[in-house]
Amino acid sequence: PISSAVARAHAIFQRANLARRAGQMRDAADAYAELLQRHRNDRRAGLAAFELGRIRMDALDDPRGAVRALSQALRLSPDAGFREDALARIVFAQDALGQRAACRKARDRYLSGYPQGVHVVSLAARCR
């Protein structure tokens, strides 16, 4: 049987995904944040943090919030398939914030892990 906590986390995650697919980005972000707050240890928490970071960056013009969410995603799911994209997005967000030292550190972290990565070219012009 599925525990009630797992069922609640599943319901929140589904609500977030449905809102995101419907283009209701604020509602999606709120639901992903709710999952992270209430069910931090749920197996979907890392992905929820990644999606929250993407929404904050792409739809809500919140690069600072994106960095927090993407960093949390990396902590919660260090080996996830979204790792490369999360690392690159942190560079873009730090660059948007004008935080040059943090941007360079994030860029170097990406390049050390993905020297032939898909974002190498686009990251070369960042952090100046």
Side-chain angles (χ1 to χ4, degrees):
I2 297 176
S3 76
S4 60
V6 171
R8 285 190 304 271
H10 176 75
I12 295 167
F13 191 75
Q14 287 301 103
R15 181 168 35 97
N17 284 338
L18 289 172
R20 181 178 49 81
R21 288 183 197 125
Q24 300 167 341
M25 297 309 188
R26 172 60 60 197
D27 292 340
D30 290 346
Y32 287 128
E34 179 183 350
L35 187 138
L36 290 166
Q37 181 181 13
R38 293 184 180 190
H39 303 282
R40 179 178 174 82
N41 295 321
D42 184 81
R43 65 180 177 83
R44 292 166 285 254
L47 181 56
F50 177 70
E51 292 296 346
L52 178 59
R54 286 185 348 133
I55 290 169
R56 285 178 173 167
M57 188 170 185
D58 297 345
L60 302 180
D61 193 30
D62 179 11
R64 190 173 314 283
V67 169
R68 284 193 308 272
L70 293 165
S71 296
Q72 184 177 20
L74 292 170
R75 284 191 306 275
L76 291 171
S77 298
D79 299 319
F82 57 74
R83 179 177 177 74
E84 181 179 358
D85 287 334
L87 289 169
R89 283 178 168 276
I90 290 171
V91 176
F92 295 130
Q94 294 288 14
D95 191 46
L97 290 167
Q99 297 179 346
R100 301 297 173 241
C103 183
R104 284 190 293 276
K105 183 178 177 182
R107 185 186 61 204
D108 292 347
R109 182 178 179 195
Y110 175 90
L111 292 173
S112 71
Y114 301 95
Q116 303 298 317
V118 298
H119 301 286
V120 169
V121 173
S122 59
L123 295 180
R126 303 296 172 158
C127 311
R128 296 177 190 242

